[in-house]
Amino acid sequence: MPVTHKTLVKSKQGSNAQSQQKPLAAKTAKVVSKKKDEDDGTEIGEGGDEWMHGKTLIKPPDQLDLTEAELKEEFTRILTANNPHAPQNIVRYSFKERSYKPISSVDQLAVHFFLEGNLLHRDSDEARRQKAKQGLPDEKATVVTETEDEKLETPLQAAGGEEAGDVEEGGGEDGAHSVDSKTGKKEQKLTNQFNFSERASQTLNNPLRERGCQTEPPPRASFSATANQWEIYDVYLEEMQKQEKNKEKAKAVPKKEDDKGKKKLTLVETQSDDLTKVAKVAKIIERMVNQNTFDDIAQDFRYFEDASDEFREQEGTLLPLWKFQYDQAKRLSVTALCWNQSYKDLFAVGLGSYDFTKQGRGMLVFYSLKNSTYPEYNYPTTSGILCLDIHPDRPYLVAVGFYDGCVAVYNLKEERPEPVYKSSSKSGKHTDPVWQVRWQKDDMDNHQNFFSVSSDGRVVSWTLVKSELVFTDIIKLSLVGAVSEGPEGVPPPTMACGTSFDFHKQINYLFLVGTEEGKIHKCSKAYSSQFLETYDAHNMAVDAVKWNQFHPKVFISCSSDWTVKIWDHTIRTPVFIFDLNAAVGDVAWSPYSSTVFAAVTADGKVHVFDLGINKYEAICQQPVVAKKKTKLTHIEFNPVYPIIIVGDDRGYVTSLKLSPNLRSKPKWGRKKLDIQFSGIHYYPPSFLFLRKTG
Amino acid sequence: MCAEVEETLKRIQTHKGVIGTIVVNAEGIPIRTTLDNSTTVQYAGLLHQLTMKARSTVRDIDPQNDLTFLRIRSKKHEIMVAPDKEYMLIVIQNPSE
């Protein structure tokens, strides 16, 4: 139990002080009111002096008025040990008697001051606990005192004996212990209340400052992606391509430098925000826009079938579709047309001039049916183009014959506007305009080669060897039959001028050449000096000669002498003759029927014939150009679609759709066709000339 | 090469019935336009999303396939979108003119 000190202040003094407080307070108030300037510290002293004198009594206004007798009355005051503050009438509720009962004795103890100390009785629990904590030091403390005495003694005995060392050591050991115990002893401070004083000091505490530093947070970017099937596929594809590239690089070591150069180029391109990559997309969009604009034409092209053909038994019509024109080619006339065999909507147009007096530039233009407003490719040339041919296997190679006698080969895959190969005067170019070129099958060395025929009377074969054109004269066209000598005995020119030729579809070496004199020669590649046969075809130059695509014996020829003639190459006279009332520019067999062919004339009409339906007349004769003065120069059938393209001398190309009647396929077999043809032979020749179309 | 593309774009723009053309890059930001700014931004944003969705659809069905172009024909005009790996071309045309 804690022992508490209670300081009892004498209540006697307290009560005295209390009784005297009132007048003292009154007087001090007076003093204050009187002397305000003086210090409070001297108040009591002065107040005391005043009280000592005490003669001038001033009545406070609220003092009780008492008579003198009452003032002299003595009041006895008894000092008791009662606590004046203690209540005297505490009442408690008693549940036993069910009423409030006063408590007899009231505690009179008043505590004036209370202070708890910090001493513990040594036998108390708390003291014992503390002792337990400081248990060892307590025990050692007793040992220490003994060892300290020993230590003091040992240095004296050190010089004396051998045991000194041991003792010293022991003393050292003990000394060690003593050090420990000393520190332990030091922890247990014994403080007494008499002469113990503790002084504490505090070092200057430096003001606390907070210093922080923050590194720059790592740059953050939010990333989101999806993982679809196709994205995974793309990644795999890229990987594969990379691997393939690595393999290639491993194989081709010297090409590394080129790759680096190319890489640099590509880097530069990607940096700049240029539109070269938009090229493909722009093309698609252009086609879409065109499709929209010419939507009805596109629909007609695909789906329109002239229903009125059912009522017209034999006649058909041509439905005009797109019209192709190029601004820069306005004054040129279409001199050649060719469909691309692989891309069925692409065709090539050669532009130049047939006017011998006005010869200028030319152009090679490629159009696609998907975009009729602008060509896909165009190559301007210095000389007018007269003929062209697209390679059947390699659709990017185009052979072109010029008015100035050159031949050239263009590669559409390459970007440059010049031809890949071009013949020059050294390399055997023709001296006269080249009228026809035709690709041949690759020769034994796998070089591409083509043939050309020109007015200088030569049929030349050109072979593409690496970067050159190598020419070989195949045949020289000589004039058959003697020609009267010139006026001065100059030998007449012995060369005929070839104006067209065509190779047999099946028999490779067999070809036909049409000349300016109106003769057609049947030649073979093997024989360079002799013709196999000659046909007296026309009175004027043979503009076109074409083998039939199905019938191996039949070919057709047309000329400016207004006629179209069909021949059987075994017979020297024509099988059919058609007079078209105007100079015939071109004639073409259809790819879907052996009896259908079309011809274009200088009066702007297209004539379509079907020998299976009508042997004497055209089943369709239709003007296709607005102005009658335009001459139609060329015509070509599309290999797949039922359309034809017609070129005129204003530089326009018109596409027309063949109505169903024109597209009828021959129902009879080949034998019957032979009979058809052979039957004609028995007609007398005069009868042939009587037939007129119109 | 760049000049040719410029020419093609010019031709498209001057084609009959074409109201406007917008070239959008891979992130959907228009880089070239012939319409006013607010319209351009609107078209680019909306059509970009639609094109991505359409392309995703096509490729999900067959990953070897890819979207060539997208046409949206409305009462008033037709919106044509041709997407590419890096760029996208949007053309608004009034086909009936």
Side-chain angles (χ1 to χ4, degrees):
Chain A
M1 278 193 45
V3 177
T4 54
H5 285 273
K6 290 178 189 172
T7 50
L8 288 168
V9 175
K10 289 180 183 172
S11 49
K12 192 178 180 180
Q13 287 175 354
S15 53
N16 271 336
Q18 277 174 12
S19 58
Q20 284 169 6
Q21 264 181 9
K22 249 191 179 176
L24 193 64
K27 280 178 186 175
T28 52
K30 271 189 250 172
V31 169
V32 168
S33 61
K34 276 185 184 177
K35 298 173 187 177
K36 279 184 185 175
D37 297 325
E38 295 188 24
D39 291 329
D40 291 337
T42 54
E43 217 180 281
I44 300 165
E46 291 233 17
D49 282 340
E50 286 276 344
W51 186 75
M52 286 290 281
H53 293 298
K55 281 178 185 172
T56 54
L57 284 172
I58 304 170
K59 272 191 185 177
D62 54 350
Q63 199 181 44
L64 281 172
D65 287 331
L66 295 172
T67 59
E68 278 201 36
E70 285 178 340
L71 282 171
K72 281 185 182 173
E73 210 179 310
E74 282 188 9
F75 288 92
T76 52
R77 287 184 175 270
I78 306 162
L79 292 175
T80 56
N82 286 346
N83 183 0
H85 293 296
Q88 286 154 353
N89 50 353
I90 297 178
V91 177
R92 295 247 186 269
Y93 186 73
S94 164
F95 285 91
K96 193 175 171 186
E97 291 163 40
R98 306 258 175 115
S99 65
Y100 286 96
K101 289 195 88 178
I103 293 173
S104 52
S105 61
V106 178
D107 191 11
Q108 301 293 327
L109 183 67
V111 176
H112 294 276
F113 180 71
F114 179 75
L115 174 67
E116 274 200 27
N118 51 9
L119 291 178
L120 306 170
H121 195 269
R122 60 157 64 188
D123 293 330
S124 66
D125 289 334
E126 183 68 31
R128 277 185 200 143
R129 258 184 262 141
Q130 284 190 4
K131 272 185 192 173
K133 280 182 193 172
Q134 298 168 348
L136 290 169
D138 271 335
E139 290 170 0
K140 275 191 184 175
T142 51
V143 177
V144 161
T145 46
E146 291 169 13
T147 52
E148 271 187 0
D149 295 333
E150 284 182 11
K151 207 183 176 186
L152 287 165
E153 288 172 2
T154 47
L156 296 169
Q157 294 173 359
E162 296 174 0
E163 296 174 358
D166 295 330
V167 176
E168 269 188 4
E169 284 179 7
E173 285 174 8
D174 290 334
H177 284 295
S178 72
V179 168
D180 288 338
S181 59
K182 263 188 190 171
T183 52
K185 201 182 175 184
K186 274 180 187 174
E187 284 174 343
Q188 205 184 37
K189 251 191 207 171
L190 294 175
T191 58
N192 59 37
Q193 59 185 9
F194 302 108
N195 58 1
F196 173 75
S197 70
E198 191 168 323
R199 290 193 83 174
S201 68
Q202 190 174 16
T203 55
L204 186 67
N205 285 337
N206 290 325
L208 287 176
R209 252 179 224 180
E210 201 169 301
R211 286 195 106 177
C213 71
Q214 188 182 20
T215 57
E216 212 174 284
R220 283 185 181 193
S222 67
F223 171 79
S224 72
T226 52
N228 288 333
Q229 190 184 6
W230 53 269
E231 285 190 7
I232 297 167
Y233 173 83
D234 275 345
V235 171
Y236 272 110
L237 212 64
E238 270 182 48
E239 269 300 309
M240 265 187 63
Q241 281 175 358
K242 273 185 192 174
Q243 280 180 8
E244 277 175 25
K245 269 187 186 177
N246 286 336
K247 280 184 193 172
E248 279 177 24
K249 275 185 184 176
K251 284 180 190 175
V253 173
K255 281 185 186 176
K256 270 186 187 175
E257 290 179 11
D258 292 334
D259 284 338
K260 278 181 193 170
K262 279 176 195 172
K263 273 182 197 170
K264 280 181 190 170
L265 283 171
T266 48
L267 275 172
V268 167
E269 279 179 27
T270 47
Q271 277 169 10
S272 63
D273 188 29
D274 68 355
L275 296 170
T276 52
K277 281 149 201 162
V278 197
K280 191 185 163 201
V281 193
K283 213 176 198 177
I284 293 172
I285 280 275
E286 200 185 352
R287 286 186 179 183
M288 287 166 75
V289 168
N290 271 309
Q291 190 182 1
N292 267 344
T293 315
F294 301 110
D295 185 40
D296 43 356
I297 295 176
Q299 302 284 344
D300 284 345
F301 159 74
R302 254 294 169 177
Y303 303 115
F304 180 76
E305 303 293 352
D306 200 348
S308 61
D309 270 12
E310 289 174 30
F311 307 108
R312 287 181 291 199
E313 279 182 9
Q314 291 184 348
E315 287 175 5
T317 52
L318 297 167
L319 179 73
L321 297 174
W322 298 282
K323 201 167 186 189
F324 301 88
Q325 64 193 63
Y326 189 34
D327 283 344
Q328 297 179 17
K330 265 188 178 167
R331 297 209 183 149
L332 304 168
S333 47
V334 173
T335 53
L337 287 174
C338 188
W339 283 101
N340 193 313
Q341 298 297 319
S342 319
Y343 299 101
K344 306 285 165 32
D345 61 301
L346 189 65
F347 63 92
V349 180
L351 294 152
S353 173
Y354 281 123
D355 194 347
F356 299 102
T357 48
K358 291 182 198 170
Q359 280 299 324
R361 57 191 182 87
M363 220 173 227
L364 176 64
V365 179
F366 282 79
Y367 279 103
S368 164
L369 294 178
K370 296 173 189 169
N371 184 349
S372 60
T373 52
Y374 195 77
E376 300 293 313
Y377 305 94
N378 73 333
Y379 301 94
T381 59
T382 46
S383 159
I385 294 174
L386 280 181
C387 56
L388 64 89
D389 192 28
I390 301 178
H391 199 289
D393 299 325
R394 295 179 182 75
Y396 51 88
L397 286 178
V398 183
V400 173
F402 291 100
Y403 192 85
D404 62 0
C406 290
V407 290
V409 176
Y410 283 87
N411 188 335
L412 295 179
K413 277 189 183 176
E414 297 198 9
E415 293 290 326
R416 51 186 183 161
E418 303 96 39
V420 181
Y421 303 92
K422 194 165 183 187
S423 70
S424 61
S425 44
K426 288 184 208 170
S427 62
K429 76 167 197 158
H430 291 282
T431 49
D432 270 341
V434 179
W435 288 98
Q436 192 77 286
V437 285
R438 277 278 180 266
W439 283 104
Q440 299 300 307
K441 287 186 189 168
D442 288 356
D443 62 8
M444 286 183 289
D445 300 329
N446 281 336
H447 294 302
Q448 295 97 38
N449 62 339
F450 64 94
F451 277 58
S452 68
V453 68
S454 153
S455 293
D456 64 357
R458 289 160 52 214
V459 176
V460 180
S461 156
W462 304 84
T463 315
L464 272 64
V465 180
K466 287 192 183 175
S467 59
E468 283 182 341
L469 272 180
V470 178
F471 82 98
T472 356
D473 271 353
I474 294 298
I475 197 161
K476 287 194 182 162
L477 306 167
S478 56
L479 287 173
V480 176
V483 179
S484 59
E485 290 186 359
E488 291 176 336
V490 174
T494 51
M495 304 288 271
C497 306
T499 51
S500 59
F501 72 167
D502 193 22
F503 284 83
H504 197 280
K505 308 292 174 205
Q506 283 92 34
I507 305 166
N508 210 10
Y509 57 82
L510 194 65
F511 65 95
L512 296 164
V513 183
T515 62
E516 211 171 304
E517 293 76 31
K519 295 198 202 303
I520 299 177
H521 303 286
K522 185 168 74 174
C523 316
S524 163
K525 284 188 199 174
Y527 301 99
S528 63
S529 54
Q530 254 200 344
F531 307 128
L532 292 175
E533 187 113 35
T534 309
Y535 308 92
D536 286 324
H538 293 275
N539 300 320
M540 288 179 74
V542 178
D543 282 331
V545 59
K546 301 245 169 96
W547 284 101
N548 188 312
Q549 291 178 17
F550 301 96
H551 203 288
K553 287 187 182 179
V554 175
F555 66 89
I556 195 170
S557 69
C558 78
S559 160
S560 311
D561 68 354
W562 295 12
T563 56
V564 172
K565 295 184 183 177
I566 300 180
W567 307 77
D568 180 327
H569 76 95
T570 52
I571 301 163
R572 298 196 74 183
T573 49
V575 179
F576 284 100
I577 300 175
F578 300 98
D579 190 337
L580 299 179
N581 277 336
V584 184
D586 197 9
V587 69
W589 286 105
S590 74
Y592 49 84
S593 166
S594 64
T595 53
V596 177
F597 67 91
V600 282
T601 58
D603 60 357
K605 281 191 188 172
V606 176
H607 304 258
V608 181
F609 290 81
D610 189 345
L611 298 172
I613 296 173
N614 189 335
K615 282 181 234 170
Y616 312 111
E617 282 184 340
I619 49 173
C620 173
Q621 282 176 65
Q622 191 170 324
V624 291
V625 276
K627 287 190 180 178
K628 282 206 170 177
K629 282 185 185 175
T630 47
K631 301 175 197 171
L632 299 174
T633 49
H634 280 278
I635 183 168
E636 284 289 338
F637 279 84
N638 185 304
V640 173
Y641 303 116
I643 61 172
I644 51 171
I645 43 169
V646 178
D648 62 19
D649 68 346
R650 281 181 181 271
Y652 296 141
V653 176
T654 317
S655 59
L656 302 140
K657 185 167 182 179
L658 300 159
S659 68
N661 272 355
L662 304 175
R663 286 188 259 139
S664 55
K665 294 194 179 167
K667 289 172 193 172
W668 39 82
R670 236 181 105 183
K671 279 186 183 175
K672 281 188 183 175
L673 199 62
D674 280 340
I675 292 165
Q676 284 289 105
F677 277 108
S678 57
I680 302 302
H681 298 284
Y682 301 110
Y683 281 81
S686 57
F687 193 74
L688 284 169
F689 287 101
L690 285 173
R691 270 183 233 112
K692 269 201 175 180
T693 59
Chain B
M1 188 58 184
C2 192
E4 269 187 42
V5 175
E6 295 275 355
E7 234 188 87
T8 312
L9 286 176
K10 206 175 159 188
R11 277 206 307 279
I12 294 169
Q13 183 51 38
T14 51
H15 199 91
K16 197 174 82 164
V18 171
I19 298 168
T21 53
I22 306 168
V23 180
V24 181
N25 73 352
E27 284 127 35
I29 300 164
I31 55 174
R32 189 183 268 238
T33 175
T34 56
L35 302 164
D36 60 283
N37 203 14
S38 55
T39 321
T40 303
V41 166
Q42 201 179 22
Y43 266 107
L46 294 167
L47 286 168
H48 183 71
Q49 290 173 32
L50 183 64
T51 315
M52 288 300 127
K53 190 74 187 172
R55 180 188 248 164
S56 187
T57 311
V58 167
R59 296 207 74 193
D60 270 343
I61 296 167
D62 177 12
Q64 293 182 325
N65 205 354
D66 197 7
L67 182 68
T68 322
F69 62 79
L70 191 65
R71 278 179 193 262
I72 304 161
R73 198 160 218 182
S74 68
K75 277 192 209 166
K76 293 189 182 174
H77 41 244
E78 180 164 341
I79 303 167
M80 290 174 280
V81 183
D84 189 40
K85 266 204 165 173
E86 294 187 24
Y87 293 95
M88 192 168 76
L89 200 58
I90 302 167
V91 170
I92 303 129
Q93 189 191 21
N94 195 341
S96 57
E97 266 183 36

